[in-house]
Amino acid sequence: MKVIPHNRKALLTTLRLERRAIEAERSDLVYTIRGAQMRIDQLDERRRDIDASEGYLTSE
């Protein structure tokens, strides 16, 4: 359970720190998602290459 400060200045400081923590976590997640999407794209491209190679080899 979070401690809620009783004065306004302390509450504002607490809220700002929490917002910064949220923004940092969100930024980390965005980079993680982008990295995962790049890897997915690489795997899809490799799969297409394999499918094309199989098609070429089986058509002979």
Side-chain angles (χ1 to χ4, degrees), residues 4-55:
I4 299 174
H6 291 290
N7 68 47
R8 188 169 186 242
K9 187 174 181 179
L11 180 57
L12 285 172
T13 300
T14 300
L15 291 174
R16 287 181 183 133
L17 290 172
E18 188 171 352
R19 183 179 347 138
R20 279 191 214 134
I22 289 168
E23 289 170 355
E25 184 176 354
R26 184 185 183 285
S27 179
D28 289 347
L29 289 171
V30 167
Y31 285 115
T32 299
I33 290 167
R34 287 181 183 160
Q37 187 60 55
M38 287 174 47
R39 183 64 181 141
I40 289 168
D41 293 345
Q42 290 172 343
L43 293 171
D44 286 346
E45 183 177 342
R46 181 67 182 133
R47 186 178 56 195
R48 284 190 296 272
D49 290 347
I50 290 169
D51 289 346
S53 295
E54 286 178 341

Side-chain angles (χ1 to χ4, degrees), residues 53-60:
S53 295
E54 286 178 341
Y56 174 76
L57 293 173
T58 58
S59 66
E60 291 181 357

